[in-house]
Amino acid sequence: MKFSSQVKPISYLKSHAAEIVKTISESREPMLITQNGEAKLVVMDVKTYEEQMETFALLKILALGNREIEEGHFENVEDVFGELDGAADQ
Protein backbone atom coordinates (compact mmCIF):
# COMPACT_ATOMS: atom_id res chain seq x y z
CA MET A 1 0.00 0.00 0.00
CA LYS A 2 1.48 3.32 -1.05
CA PHE A 3 0.38 6.49 0.66
CA SER A 4 2.26 8.81 -1.71
CA SER A 5 -0.83 9.59 -3.80
CA GLN A 6 -3.10 9.99 -0.79
CA VAL A 7 -1.18 12.44 1.44
CA LYS A 8 -3.06 15.53 2.52
CA PRO A 9 -2.50 18.20 5.17
CA ILE A 10 -4.89 18.44 8.10
CA SER A 11 -6.29 21.68 6.68
CA TYR A 12 -7.52 19.68 3.65
CA LEU A 13 -9.23 17.22 5.97
CA LYS A 14 -10.97 20.06 7.77
CA SER A 15 -12.25 21.75 4.62
CA HIS A 16 -13.05 18.66 2.50
CA ALA A 17 -14.40 16.13 5.01
CA ALA A 18 -17.47 15.08 3.00
CA GLU A 19 -15.42 14.72 -0.19
CA ILE A 20 -12.80 12.66 1.63
CA VAL A 21 -15.46 10.32 3.05
CA LYS A 22 -16.90 9.78 -0.42
CA THR A 23 -13.50 9.25 -2.07
CA ILE A 24 -12.18 6.84 0.56
CA SER A 25 -15.47 4.92 0.68
CA GLU A 26 -15.39 4.43 -3.09
CA SER A 27 -11.67 3.78 -3.57
CA ARG A 28 -11.06 1.95 -0.26
CA GLU A 29 -7.60 3.50 -0.27
CA PRO A 30 -6.46 5.03 3.02
CA MET A 31 -5.38 8.66 3.23
CA LEU A 32 -2.42 9.90 5.22
CA ILE A 33 -3.02 13.17 7.05
CA THR A 34 -0.08 15.37 7.94
CA GLN A 35 0.26 18.13 10.52
CA ASN A 36 3.18 20.52 10.34
CA GLY A 37 4.73 18.29 7.68
CA GLU A 38 4.65 15.14 9.81
CA ALA A 39 2.43 12.10 9.30
CA LYS A 40 -0.20 12.08 12.07
CA LEU A 41 -3.25 10.07 10.98
CA VAL A 42 -4.40 7.43 8.58
CA VAL A 43 -8.02 7.75 7.49
CA MET A 44 -9.68 4.65 6.05
CA ASP A 45 -13.13 3.25 5.45
CA VAL A 46 -14.68 0.99 8.06
CA LYS A 47 -14.79 -2.12 5.84
CA THR A 48 -11.04 -1.91 5.18
CA TYR A 49 -10.39 -1.36 8.88
CA GLU A 50 -12.48 -4.39 9.84
CA GLU A 51 -10.71 -6.55 7.26
CA GLN A 52 -7.33 -5.46 8.60
CA MET A 53 -8.36 -6.24 12.17
CA GLU A 54 -9.51 -9.72 11.10
CA THR A 55 -6.19 -10.26 9.31
CA PHE A 56 -4.24 -9.13 12.39
CA ALA A 57 -6.26 -11.50 14.57
CA LEU A 58 -5.45 -14.43 12.27
CA LEU A 59 -1.78 -13.48 12.20
CA LYS A 60 -1.74 -13.34 16.00
CA ILE A 61 -3.26 -16.83 16.20
CA LEU A 62 -0.58 -18.11 13.80
CA ALA A 63 2.19 -16.43 15.81
CA LEU A 64 0.86 -17.93 19.06
CA GLY A 65 0.69 -21.36 17.41
CA ASN A 66 4.26 -21.06 16.18
CA ARG A 67 5.40 -20.08 19.68
CA GLU A 68 3.63 -23.13 21.14
CA ILE A 69 5.42 -25.36 18.60
CA GLU A 70 8.79 -23.75 19.35
CA GLU A 71 8.23 -24.34 23.07
CA GLY A 72 7.34 -27.99 22.43
CA HIS A 73 3.70 -27.63 23.48
CA PHE A 74 2.09 -29.84 20.87
CA GLU A 75 1.04 -33.43 20.31
CA ASN A 76 2.22 -35.72 17.59
CA VAL A 77 -0.40 -36.07 14.84
CA GLU A 78 -0.33 -39.87 15.05
CA ASP A 79 -1.11 -39.70 18.77
CA VAL A 80 -4.02 -37.33 18.20
CA PHE A 81 -5.53 -39.51 15.46
CA GLY A 82 -4.92 -42.59 17.59
CA GLU A 83 -6.90 -41.00 20.42
CA LEU A 84 -9.70 -40.08 18.02
CA ASP A 85 -9.84 -43.62 16.63
CA GLY A 86 -9.95 -45.02 20.18
CA ALA A 87 -12.80 -42.69 21.14
CA ALA A 88 -14.75 -43.67 18.02
CA ASP A 89 -14.45 -47.37 18.87
CA GLN A 90 -16.16 -46.90 22.23
Side-chain angles (χ1 to χ4, degrees):
M1 168 183 334
K2 293 185 179 182
F3 290 111
S4 58
S5 65
Q6 291 284 74
V7 178
K8 302 290 183 194
I10 197 163
S11 58
Y12 185 85
L13 175 66
K14 291 175 183 177
S15 62
H16 295 87
E19 177 186 330
I20 290 170
V21 169
K22 184 176 187 267
T23 301
I24 291 174
S25 295
E26 290 173 357
S27 71
R28 298 195 62 200
E29 290 184 22
M31 181 177 288
L32 182 68
I33 303 298
T34 63
Q35 185 176 33
N36 298 323
E38 293 183 28
K40 293 292 182 178
L41 300 172
V42 175
V43 180
M44 66 175 54
D45 67 289
V46 172
K47 180 116 173 108
T48 300
Y49 175 79
E50 290 172 343
E51 289 171 356
Q52 284 189 355
M53 292 301 102
E54 289 172 6
T55 300
F56 291 149
L58 289 172
L59 289 172
K60 185 174 184 176
I61 290 168
L62 289 172
L64 291 171
N66 284 336
R67 185 183 313 154
E68 292 288 314
I69 291 169
E70 289 170 3
E71 293 174 356
H73 300 238
F74 62 92
E75 291 188 45
N76 186 307
V77 69
E78 286 84 14
D79 294 340
V80 172
F81 282 116
E83 290 174 16
L84 291 173
D85 285 340
D89 292 338
Q90 294 178 355

